[in-house]
Amino acid sequence: MILVMVRRLGEMVFVLVSISVLVFLIFFATPGADPAARLAGRGATPATLAAVRHSFGLDKPLPVQYVLMMKHLFVTQDLTSFVNPGEKVVPAVLQAVPVTLSLVFGAAIIWVIAALVVGVLAAWARDTVLDRLLMLFSLIGVSMPVFWLAEVANLITQARYHDTWLFSWVPALGYVPLSVSVVGWFKSLVIPWTVLAVTYIGLYGRVLRSNLVEAMNEDYIRTARAKGLSERQIILRHALRMSLITLVSMFGLDFGLLAGGGALLIEVVSGLPGVGELTYQALQNLDLPFIMAAVLYGAVFIVVANTVVDMLYAVIDPRAR
Amino acid sequence: MSLTSEDGARVAAEPASGPWRAALRKLVQNRTAMAAALVLVLVVLACIAAPLYAKYVAHTDPFGSNLDGQITIGGKSVPVMQPSPTGLGMTPIGPTWRAQYFLGADNQGRDVAARMLYGGRNSLLIATGSTLICLALAGLVGVVAGFSGGIVDTVLARALDVLWAFPVYMLAISLSVVLISHGLKLGPFTLQADSLLIPVIIIGVVYVPYVARPIRGQVISLARSDFVLASRCLGVARRRILLRDIVPNVTTTLIVFAPLMMALNMLTEAALSFLSIGVQPPAASWGTIILDGEGLLYTRPMVALAPGIAIMITVVMLNFLGDGVREAFDPRAKLRVKSDR
Amino acid sequence: MTDRIKTWLLPGILAAGLLPGFARAATPDASFAQHKGGTLKLVAASAAGTIDPQVNYTNQYWQTFINVYDGLVTFRKTSGKASNEIVPDLATAVPAPTDNGLTYVFTLRKGIKFSNGKPVTVADVVASFERIFKVNNPNAGSWYKFIVGGDACMAKPAACTLPKGVIADAASNTITFHLVSPDPEFLDQLAVPFAVILPADTPAKDMGTVPVPGTGPYMITSYNPQKALILKRNPYFKQWSAEAQPNGYVDEIDFDFGVTDENAVTAIENGQYDWEFDPLPADRLGEVSTRFPNQVHIDPLLADYYAPMNVNIPPFNNKDARLAVNYALDRQALVNIFGGRNLATPACQILPPDFPGYKPYCPYTLHPGTTWSAPNMAKAQALMKKSGEIGQKVTVITDDQGVDPALGTYMASLLNKLGFVATTHVLSANIQFNYIQNTKNKVQISVSQWYQDYPAASDFLNVLLTCGAIHPGSDSSINISGYCSKTFDQHVDAVLKTEISDPAKANQEWAAVDREATDAAPWATMFTPKQLDFVSKRVGDFVFSDQFHMLFSKIWVK
């Protein structure tokens, strides 16, 4: 078991190192991305450009620059931005983490509860009008571009119907820290939570329903039925328990992706200064130190989630080893 | 529609016309899937007819700026771009619900409805092209990794891990900048900056791990299955096992993946357009029209709403079709559609 | 018209020396006491880099720095034409050059203290000018190296000393500058934030996010590029000259980051912010200007929006093709995209209106003369036919900020109309400006802007269009068109010489040089934009300086 863990850890490190090297190389291969000219300012002479390049260590060979960057990011943790010189990267990322976690946790609670309701209801009422309607809405939920849905939500709650009783409570776009005001925090996040949850409600609802329906045909359910248990008891006590295994692994992967900054566009459109927004800004600015930090932060979440899910599977299903 | 899984026994019990024809027949009998297919065909036809619409119905050039244009509504001549009384800002004409400017104009005074049809072409082409690339690559990688095992498998599996956790947007931004000036030469192919192939390749490659992983798993479990082991014991060549037992199974899985990947890729195209990567103006895709509409969201919301709804309808239909295909070809396959990241 | 222009067009030296009465009367004390206090809340989409005033080269922070730092001289803090004139700031007077324009002697004011409590001395002045080189100031090589010793400092910035260029005399409290050659714009270059005076012990490196003490009414107390820049009152500030550095009304200035232009407009309408730095989104202009007419201020900008055409590669190495684009350009359409007839003026030439040396000139229109009236499509098409460039592929490179993608899209549409096969390529704003400069990227045509540094014709004609502004293969090669003409350069040099002795005559000559550049058509000039400032309801006394735009210290919120 320890050996498996060590191997897994080694693989994770390999993936992270590869990603950082690739990001680094791609950055320097992109025309116009060289930060020296932007740091020097418009109209700088070649001499000034060279001096700036030297003072930021950009004239060193790429492997040396890479090692230095990694050292500043992980060892001394004082890596600074190329766009806002002096701005430290690590605290900026740490500052964005609570925002993203607030968004993702809240949305996750909504989508898990709602998906359970949708899935169970649809399975219970399978092949009725209710089932079809629920599945249709789930499908529509899965089929909308998330950032577009967020824009439509802005349109409705910030402009068109902002003055009606329904949405007059919606605050201006932005994030209110939990420590400042609990109510403000909640209000600022309700709309983004809902928007982000919509896709996953549809997704999980559909998967849950089909798993439940499949499980209903299994032998042990037939046994339960023969014992005279009600349909409701069968679904909730027996079928649901088995189906949740799939959902838990799905949840692990999705949560990892989102917590790592995967909710990038929704954070941007909803004006939430989380890790996704930070990544977006860094990409827009082509600010390598920030890109590196944000990408590695996100990759850690993704890789860890993958590993955890794989290992869970290995525990549940020995064949998968 | 019915998602009730039916056991494979019934499929096998069909008259001896081969599993593929049986699956196709089953698909044709699925009314929801067929209705979805019909809607998709209509969408494709409408997009193909875009030049006809632009020329004979809307009488407009959907790619040329038309900032001082006039149209006649109810006998009155109305400017396409309406100046405000203060001389600050111009508002494009809203939906007229007539032949011209049916859905209104964008900030260049162009007919949004006509652009929607042209944009649909690009969106559908990108979704289809990237799906083909993705499935081909994923099939190849999955089979090679799963069937070879050992060091090849390890290397490919790690490569998939890296790709999976790699920031798509960074790759896309960088690639699109690199290509403007230099283009990309891959053997006989030259990739230019305005080529549709850029979003096609980016989206196609990005989702390879997503398909390749289950394929690899499938190949590994097939390779360990009793009938393959039996064949091996009988001394059947590895190549033969590959072609006879593995490839057909993998192909089925890929077919099941196809409509769902198309749906996913269409959403991804929209997300990339949001970052100005992919189709470049004055050409359009549904994603870029959403971006155009973003700047007009509060004054002319239709510009952003229409392409979003078009994407939604198309993706819903692709999913319906995907459900039908899955039921027909591989009722046991557990697939999920992932949202765009 | 000409008369008024002539008066203010005289470069700073003379104008400031001869017309001291031009300044506005200082704000009466009673009104000051009444409106003093409160917090001014500003907002921008993002931070603008380092807060080292000797390094940062952005409008966003220059507008902020002038409330925090002072140079020996500055532009008058007022509105209108008078804001282009140079007045003494930390120096007691604006000196006239001696020694054939090679020597300037300043006397430092006494009793002024930095926000850390230390007095400003002549040693600080010397150190500040050495620091310009030590921190690799972007214009060290183009402006300040003409100080004696500047060349050596450019070669070895870290060891920079200017013992023969900037000489302090503590006894008489004077600083003497010696130049290598006469520079008619030397005082302008001293009046911008690069040449502010900082404490001599300021570290000789880009300070990044660490504030440096200054002499103005405010000091930077904290800076987080993800969040905000906070300015509070400088406890050691005592007003010495209302026209150079007026005391501020508000007690605190909060400059928040991370709010998009669209959301900021709504927030200002609701009174949550007082002003946004970024231009308002074009689709909100109509709404804002009709609903809140009293909160909208429109002022002219000394700037150009233009499409530089690369004169060294096809198809725009063909002059006929460049002329065709110029004749075909519907500048009114571009103005409409930018925000309507009240927010921009169509333009054909290089120098913006009301600039020194500006004489209205527009050959590229239906009725060539002084102003643009309508495109001349027939002539454009004839030129296209003559050029033989029909069917050539063209990519228009534009950035993704504000109206720029729309301008780029319009350009592509126009080029297609002319017979090119054109597409637009939208790049992140942070890449685009460097990308289009690099000759390696072979950019054919792009959309760009140039805002003046200080009011001198050379800041456009010399900086942007001479051979010396081309650096092949560098991301910093500001002559984007790559236009290089020996005769044009000779003309520019000749006018620069005239400017030292006879500014009025020089302006006449600049007008000719402007015409020469316009006729060569390295650009398709689009329009001169205006600045629209949208302020909250509570903002009083909006003052717009041509040089630094809205003056934060003049605004009150109570």
Side-chain angles (χ1 to χ4, degrees):
Chain A
M1 193 64 195
I2 290 176
L3 202 69
V4 175
M5 296 272 270
V6 169
R7 220 191 80 196
R8 273 289 179 184
L9 207 66
E11 284 171 8
M12 280 164 58
V13 171
F14 169 79
V15 169
L16 293 176
V17 170
S18 313
I19 288 177
S20 64
V21 171
L22 277 176
V23 166
F24 194 82
L25 291 178
I26 288 180
F27 178 84
F28 282 102
T30 307
D34 178 5
R38 282 180 286 156
L39 284 167
R42 56 184 170 155
T45 57
T48 307
L49 206 58
V52 169
R53 185 166 278 130
H54 178 73
S55 72
F56 279 83
L58 292 164
D59 53 349
K60 294 196 176 82
L62 283 188
V64 176
Q65 283 192 53
Y66 174 80
V67 171
L68 281 178
M69 178 168 280
M70 289 300 128
K71 185 189 127 199
H72 283 299
L73 183 56
F74 291 108
V75 182
T76 51
Q77 303 199 348
D78 59 354
L79 184 66
T80 53
S81 160
F82 280 169
V83 173
N84 295 304
E87 183 189 12
K88 289 207 176 79
V89 170
V90 176
V93 172
L94 293 180
Q95 185 184 310
V97 171
V99 184
T100 298
L101 290 184
S102 299
L103 173 69
V104 177
F105 265 113
I109 290 169
I110 294 178
W111 96 57
V112 166
I113 293 174
L116 281 176
V117 172
V118 167
V120 170
L121 257 186
W124 175 68
R126 62 184 171 279
D127 297 331
T128 66
V129 178
L130 176 66
D131 173 28
R132 279 160 201 230
L133 274 181
L134 281 174
M135 285 305 99
L136 179 65
F137 282 122
S138 297
L139 203 49
I140 291 177
V142 177
S143 303
M144 287 183 288
V146 183
F147 73 92
W148 177 79
L149 188 62
E151 279 184 358
V152 173
N154 282 352
L155 175 68
I156 293 171
T157 62
Q158 297 285 337
R160 284 298 145 110
Y161 298 100
H162 184 68
D163 297 332
T164 64
W165 58 271
L166 198 54
F167 294 117
S168 54
W169 56 270
V170 178
L173 295 179
Y175 176 73
V176 180
L178 196 54
S179 54
V180 171
S181 155
V182 177
V183 180
W185 173 81
F186 186 81
K187 278 184 178 173
S188 71
L189 284 166
V190 168
I191 304 286
W193 281 342
T194 316
V195 169
L196 182 55
V198 164
T199 309
Y200 293 94
I201 295 173
L203 194 59
Y204 286 44
R206 272 162 58 86
V207 171
L208 182 58
R209 181 201 173 278
S210 79
N211 282 355
L212 282 176
V213 167
E214 197 178 315
M216 306 292 276
N217 292 332
E218 300 276 347
D219 292 343
Y220 69 95
I221 299 289
R222 290 194 188 141
T223 316
R225 227 178 242 141
K227 281 198 305 190
L229 290 178
S230 75
E231 191 73 6
R232 207 183 68 188
Q233 281 173 311
I234 289 173
I235 291 184
L236 292 180
R237 294 234 181 110
H238 296 275
L240 187 58
R241 199 175 291 174
M242 280 308 289
S243 309
L244 281 182
I245 295 175
T246 324
L247 281 199
V248 166
S249 71
M250 270 171 72
F251 183 81
L253 293 176
D254 287 330
F255 191 87
L257 195 65
L258 291 176
L264 188 144
L265 291 181
I266 194 168
E267 283 185 10
V268 172
V269 176
S270 306
L272 297 173
V275 183
E277 215 261 355
L278 197 77
T279 316
Y280 173 82
Q281 291 293 348
L283 285 172
Q284 288 286 300
N285 289 339
L286 273 193
D287 190 356
L288 181 62
F290 268 85
I291 295 175
M292 195 61 98
V295 160
L296 288 180
Y297 172 86
V300 165
F301 269 90
I302 295 171
V303 173
V304 167
N306 271 350
T307 310
V308 168
V309 168
D310 282 0
M311 292 181 85
L312 269 181
Y313 258 157
V315 171
I316 297 165
D317 182 359
R319 282 174 302 170
R321 280 179 195 162
Chain B
M1 75 169 184
S2 163
L3 268 175
T4 322
S5 74
E6 299 170 53
D7 27 343
R10 279 237 331 255
V11 179
E14 298 272 347
S17 54
W20 285 53
R21 276 177 74 178
L24 268 178
R25 182 170 312 137
K26 217 168 147 197
L27 181 62
V28 173
Q29 282 163 0
N30 184 333
R31 272 168 36 207
T32 319
M34 281 304 105
L38 185 68
V39 174
L40 287 173
V41 168
L42 287 178
V43 170
V44 171
L45 284 179
C47 293
I48 290 174
L52 298 178
Y53 178 87
K55 195 168 178 195
Y56 297 110
V57 182
H59 304 292
T60 177
D61 168 14
F63 301 111
S65 305
N66 185 24
L67 292 155
D68 43 13
Q70 301 270 339
I71 59 164
T72 324
I73 297 177
K76 268 194 291 185
S77 185
V78 182
V80 172
M81 300 297 285
Q82 296 158 343
S84 81
T86 53
L88 292 168
M90 304 278 285
T91 314
I93 194 167
T96 60
W97 308 119
R98 288 154 201 268
Q100 284 188 298
Y101 292 96
F102 180 74
L103 295 172
D106 64 8
N107 66 357
Q108 300 275 332
R110 301 173 297 199
D111 189 316
V112 173
R115 283 179 68 76
M116 285 277 300
L117 295 182
Y118 274 104
R121 291 174 152 197
N122 283 339
S123 289
L124 290 168
L125 275 175
I126 292 172
T128 315
S130 53
T131 303
L132 291 178
I133 288 188
C134 177
L135 295 183
L137 281 177
L140 190 68
V141 172
V143 169
V144 169
F147 199 65
S148 316
I151 187 82
V152 176
D153 182 31
T154 312
V155 168
L156 284 175
R158 292 295 80 73
L160 290 180
D161 284 351
V162 171
L163 189 56
W164 187 231
F166 192 80
V168 181
Y169 296 131
M170 162 114 195
L171 183 68
I173 288 177
S174 173
L175 200 57
S176 67
V177 179
V178 172
L179 292 179
I180 310 174
S181 46
H182 308 292
L184 195 64
K185 284 210 177 71
L186 292 169
F189 302 104
T190 317
L191 203 54
Q192 296 208 322
D194 53 349
S195 168
L196 272 190
L197 278 175
I198 295 175
V200 166
I201 290 175
I202 291 172
I203 298 171
V205 169
V206 160
Y207 286 114
V208 165
Y210 184 65
V211 182
R213 283 183 175 179
I215 300 271
R216 171 177 168 265
Q218 193 189 9
V219 173
I220 290 176
S221 79
L222 277 173
R224 290 178 189 165
S225 66
D226 297 341
F227 63 92
V228 170
L229 287 178
S231 308
R232 277 195 169 177
C233 291
L234 289 172
V236 179
R238 275 172 66 92
R239 227 184 90 210
R240 188 112 187 264
I241 294 176
L242 185 70
L243 290 178
R244 202 189 58 187
D245 298 322
I246 311 265
V247 169
N249 273 297
V250 167
T251 314
T252 310
T253 312
L254 290 178
I255 290 174
V256 172
F257 259 110
L260 304 173
M261 288 313 295
M262 248 185 101
L264 178 55
N265 290 348
M266 189 155 255
L267 293 174
T268 310
E269 188 274 326
L272 283 178
S273 295
F274 189 78
L275 299 169
S276 304
I277 303 158
V279 177
Q280 293 292 329
S285 74
W286 285 340
T288 62
I289 301 175
I290 294 183
L291 184 65
D292 289 343
E294 199 214 358
L296 294 165
L297 191 62
Y298 294 112
T299 42
R300 292 285 176 243
M302 187 52 79
V303 186
L305 287 179
I309 292 168
I311 291 176
M312 189 177 81
I313 291 174
T314 312
V315 174
V316 165
M317 293 306 150
L318 281 169
N319 277 318
F320 273 138
L321 185 64
D323 285 346
V325 170
R326 178 177 58 199
E327 268 176 58
F329 280 81
D330 189 5
R332 291 256 163 192
K334 284 202 185 75
L335 296 176
R336 41 171 310 215
V337 182
K338 218 184 106 287
S339 70
D340 53 321
R341 11 200 252 171
Chain C
M1 185 71 188
T2 31
D3 239 23
R4 216 185 65 210
I5 289 179
K6 256 191 203 154
T7 326
W8 79 265
L9 276 188
L10 305 170
I13 321 160
L14 292 177
L18 300 177
L19 301 163
F22 222 82
R24 255 193 191 179
T27 321
D29 283 348
S31 147
F32 187 82
Q34 186 194 341
H35 292 304
K36 192 170 168 270
T39 300
L40 183 63
K41 289 189 202 142
L42 316 176
V43 66
S46 61
T50 172
I51 50 166
D52 191 320
Q54 295 196 306
V55 179
N56 191 293
Y57 200 0
T58 65
N59 288 336
Q60 186 174 341
Y61 285 172
W62 275 25
Q63 199 170 359
T64 310
F65 289 151
I66 55 158
N67 303 289
V68 181
Y69 301 103
D70 291 278
L72 292 170
V73 294
T74 188
F75 292 101
R76 186 180 279 121
K77 306 280 167 46
T78 183
S79 56
K81 306 293 174 222
S83 64
N84 293 304
E85 290 155 14
I86 290 179
V87 294
D89 193 355
L90 291 180
T92 53
V94 178
T98 54
D99 191 13
N100 292 325
L102 291 177
T103 303
Y104 292 80
V105 182
F106 293 88
T107 309
L108 199 61
R109 282 184 210 264
K110 282 194 172 153
I112 297 177
K113 285 180 175 168
F114 288 111
S115 56
N116 61 7
K118 287 186 192 158
V120 180
T121 65
V122 287
D124 295 322
V125 178
V126 174
S128 296
F129 278 88
E130 287 170 357
R131 191 171 180 275
I132 286 180
F133 294 95
K134 288 178 180 167
V135 297
N136 300 311
N137 174 286
N139 283 352
S142 43
W143 294 358
Y144 302 107
K145 75 166 179 186
F146 296 106
I147 297 172
V148 173
D151 272 329
C153 282
M154 282 305 295
K156 278 190 180 163
C160 175
T161 52
L162 298 164
K164 287 180 183 155
V166 185
I167 301 153
D169 181 9
S172 62
N173 214 27
T174 59
I175 308 103
T176 307
F177 288 84
H178 292 295
L179 305 186
V180 180
S181 59
D183 180 359
E185 288 150 24
F186 182 61
L187 287 171
D188 292 305
Q189 292 159 1
L190 292 190
V192 299
F194 287 153
V196 296
I197 306 306
L198 305 177
D201 57 1
T202 308
K205 59 168 178 114
D206 183 346
M207 294 298 283
T209 51
V210 182
V212 182
T215 43
Y218 297 100
M219 56 184 188
I220 298 171
T221 54
S222 84
Y223 178 45
N224 176 346
Q226 298 296 324
K227 275 201 171 136
L229 176 69
I230 310 285
L231 269 63
K232 293 203 170 127
R233 278 195 190 279
N234 168 6
Y236 295 96
F237 178 79
K238 269 193 221 106
Q239 182 173 301
W240 60 84
S241 161
E243 60 175 15
Q245 189 57 283
N247 198 357
Y249 282 100
V250 298
D251 288 338
E252 184 175 325
I253 300 174
D254 292 358
F255 206 150
D256 286 1
F257 309 122
V259 181
T260 62
D261 50 2
E262 191 83 51
N263 298 334
V265 176
T266 315
I268 297 167
E269 286 176 353
N270 298 336
Q272 291 150 322
Y273 282 109
D274 292 314
W275 175 82
E276 70 167 307
F277 170 77
D278 304 288
L280 270 67
D283 74 315
R284 301 292 291 277
L285 293 173
E287 164 209 335
V288 165
S289 59
T290 40
R291 278 178 64 200
F292 309 97
N294 298 329
Q295 291 163 237
V296 171
H297 301 272
I298 297 177
D299 294 279
L301 285 174
L302 301 172
D304 282 332
Y305 268 70
Y306 69 105
M309 293 178 276
N310 194 329
V311 301
N312 298 314
I313 57 170
F316 297 118
N317 54 357
N318 186 327
K319 192 180 172 189
D320 288 328
R322 302 202 299 273
L323 289 175
V325 173
N326 261 304
Y327 277 107
L329 200 59
D330 185 349
R331 292 168 168 87
Q332 190 57 50
L334 291 163
V335 164
N336 285 339
I337 292 175
F338 183 72
R341 64 190 141 81
N342 284 347
L343 204 58
T345 320
C348 302
Q349 66 202 100
I350 311 290
L351 291 179
D354 291 355
F355 213 63
Y358 173 79
K359 257 205 199 119
Y361 176 58
C362 184
Y364 305 122
T365 180
L366 206 53
H367 307 290
T370 52
T371 53
W372 185 88
S373 54
N376 188 343
M377 208 59 201
K379 184 148 190 186
Q381 263 148 1
L383 281 161
M384 273 307 289
K385 213 172 261 169
K386 191 177 147 212
S387 75
E389 302 287 351
I390 289 175
Q392 284 271 9
K393 281 191 89 171
V394 179
T395 306
V396 183
I397 310 283
T398 178
D399 71 40
D400 60 354
Q401 294 296 296
V403 296
D404 292 7
L407 296 175
T409 306
Y410 171 82
M411 288 305 294
S413 168
L414 180 85
L415 293 171
N416 282 324
K417 219 165 153 187
L418 281 173
F420 294 106
V421 180
T423 50
T424 312
H425 205 102
V426 183
L427 289 184
S428 161
N430 287 283
I431 306 180
Q432 194 255 5
F433 187 60
N434 295 320
Y435 185 89
I436 59 176
Q437 291 182 54
N438 199 322
T439 50
K440 272 194 282 194
N441 296 331
K442 300 198 169 58
V443 175
Q444 296 163 306
I445 183 169
S446 50
V447 175
S448 197
Q449 308 98 37
W450 184 253
Y451 289 81
Q452 60 124 15
D453 295 298
Y454 48 76
S458 72
D459 195 32
F460 281 77
L461 296 166
N462 187 18
V463 169
L464 299 178
L465 289 167
T466 49
C467 302
I470 304 172
H471 307 293
S474 167
D475 275 357
S476 186
S477 174
I478 196 65
N479 186 341
I480 300 167
S481 295
Y483 172 74
C484 176
S485 152
K486 289 248 163 65
T487 48
F488 179 79
D489 279 18
Q490 283 163 7
H491 294 159
V492 169
D493 287 342
V495 189
L496 283 172
K497 282 212 181 76
T498 318
E499 203 164 47
I500 298 158
S501 54
D502 188 349
K505 190 175 163 219
N507 281 333
Q508 298 285 342
E509 292 177 15
W510 278 127
V513 173
D514 184 18
R515 271 201 302 281
E516 185 181 345
T518 307
D519 287 337
W523 299 0
T525 309
M526 298 176 173
F527 53 84
T528 304
K530 288 188 181 132
Q531 169 90 11
L532 184 145
D533 287 298
F534 177 45
V535 294
S536 71
K537 210 170 172 184
R538 64 180 191 149
V539 165
D541 216 5
F542 179 92
V543 178
F544 186 91
S545 146
D546 283 355
Q547 295 303 314
F548 301 117
H549 305 170
M550 184 182 92
L551 298 175
F552 300 163
S553 57
K554 290 272 193 179
I555 280 179
W556 44 259
V557 294
K558 275 194 166 173

